[in-house]
Amino acid sequence: MEKIVSLCKRRGFIFQDSEIYGGIEGVWDYGPLGSLLKNNIKNEWLKRFVQQKDDVVLIDGSVLMSSAVWRASGHLENFTDPLVECKDCHRRFRADHMVDGRFIGEGEAKVANQCPNCGNREFTPARQFNLMFKTFIGPIEDEAHQIYLRPETAQSMFTDFKQVQESMRLKIPFGIAQIGRCFRNEITTGNYTFRSREFDIAEIEYFVKPGTDEKIFDSWLNEWEKFFLDMGLRKENLRRFEHPKESLAHYSKRTVDIEYKFPFGWSELAGVANRTNFDLSQHTKFSTKDLSYFDTEKNKKYIPYVIEPTLGIERLALALLVDAYQEVKGGRTKTTEAAKEVEVVLKLSKRVAPIHVAVLPLVKNKPLLVKKAKEIYQMLKPHFRCQYDEADSIGRRYRRQDEIGSLYAVTVDFESLDQHDATIRDRDSMAQERVKIENLIKVLKEKLQD
Ligand code: GAP
């Protein structure tokens, strides 16, 4: 994990937020490569679950929602974690994240007996702590103006259910999808970005007829898992975790987590929940607006059940980085120059790699080579995610590109000037092929297509 953290900082994937002021725990900024990685994940998700579906529509709800939403959804009452406080240093910890005073992160619930901060053994009894961030709307900071930053995107898909269904004339079963910023005042953060206080959730509320929910749940679970495999995660690093009845969220009839084998242990990457008609029924009751669906064929109305596949974008980004990270002792090319080094290659899939093509002149002190390389860079840029690099030896540049997962390097050498060609180097096989400049776009497109 330390190696991933160091690589992400050094190479512009992830930075500590407000670092120059000491940073804020559990809040992260995504740098130039990290934000490309996140965007690629989001685009792939949108392509698969919105663009390619006939029955799923996208919305973009707000972070700020009426407090009434959270009263109805049960979050005000139930979106809590048990918290113990050290009686000596007053640090607070999640009661279910401690074993023998050691922070274990995700895992079985046991209460701490030794403070990891000061070693004291006395704690307050566990108390419930609400994880929603509060703020005020307008200039008056009183209880009547207090609202919350959303901890999940799901609720606007319920409160907008009727408007979406009617405006788009949708028939059940159909889904509403959303990717958006969520906020949770996590008590214990840690494991790098795994448990952050601000993150993006991509989720779908899929509205179904009661009675069809269990079968549709299973098919969403399979589809959801397949997405992670297709993004490049290794099968052996994924598993399912069926939540026992007693640990289900207050709204759920069944939840299955898809767990990833992170360096700190198997932990939740994503999930699928059967939310029944809990949310629509609650919002109907609290708002007094009828959120039932009228089945025109059966001439009957009912409150739909909801199957919810959900995913944390940053968790998938972290899993992809971990899964892709490989070290090659003695160097990849086995040259004497690299013999003592450990070279890193980030084998990100073509769907998510931040850079498709790096364009490199063989040397930077030959103006004709540099000119040609820059021309090729300009030519490729509209078609691919490109990076131009001329500093240091070509070997070092290949290593730098391998380390950030760039799929191909296009190198312009002396022969290129006469032959009007360039070499394409493949990140994984390191094989090089010469391709005419006029064919570069076509050849690279073929390599990058599914
Ligand atoms: N609408 C359902 C819902 O929000 P959740 O399991 O609480 O379910 C959804 O959260 C997903 O968001 C999780 O599967 C996980 O990937 C991600 N997630 C949850 N808490 C997170 C945190 N503190 N930091 C980063 N990602 C988080």
Side-chain angles (χ1 to χ4, degrees), residues 35-89:
S35 38
L36 281 177
L37 173 64
K38 272 182 65 178
N39 269 343
N40 297 342
I41 296 172
K42 290 180 188 176
N43 288 337
E44 287 294 325
W45 190 88
L46 289 170
K47 201 176 351 162
R48 178 165 312 199
F49 295 112
V50 181
Q51 187 184 325
Q52 290 178 16
K53 293 266 181 201
D54 297 330
D55 55 353
V56 178
V57 293
L58 183 70
I59 67 163
D60 185 9
S62 295
V63 165
L64 301 175
M65 296 187 82
S66 162
S67 292
V69 170
W70 308 113
R71 205 165 298 120
S73 71
H75 280 77
L76 274 177
E77 202 182 326
N78 299 312
F79 195 61
T80 53
D81 273 340
L83 185 117
V84 291
E85 185 175 310
C86 169
K87 283 190 173 171
D88 199 22
C89 73

Side-chain angles (χ1 to χ4, degrees), residues 152 154 184 186 193-196 199 201 203 251 268-271 275 308 310-312 315:
E152 62 169 7
R184 296 185 188 179
E186 300 283 0
T193 57
F194 180 81
R195 193 169 292 288
S196 304
F199 53 95
I201 288 182
E203 58 190 356
Y251 50 72
E268 179 189 347
L269 167 67
R275 294 182 80 127
E308 178 195 66
T310 186
L311 158 70
R315 284 201 186 168

Side-chain angles (χ1 to χ4, degrees), residues 222-233:
N222 291 337
E223 258 198 80
W224 215 228
E225 197 172 55
K226 184 166 183 308
F227 178 67
F228 305 120
L229 293 171
D230 291 347
M231 290 305 103
L233 293 183

Side-chain angles (χ1 to χ4, degrees), residues 2 6 49 51 70 113 164 188 212 267 320 327 346 352 435:
E2 272 169 28
S6 153
F49 295 112
Q51 187 184 325
W70 308 113
N113 64 15
V164 172
T188 36
T212 62
S267 302
L320 287 167
E327 287 184 344
L346 205 54
V352 297
V435 174

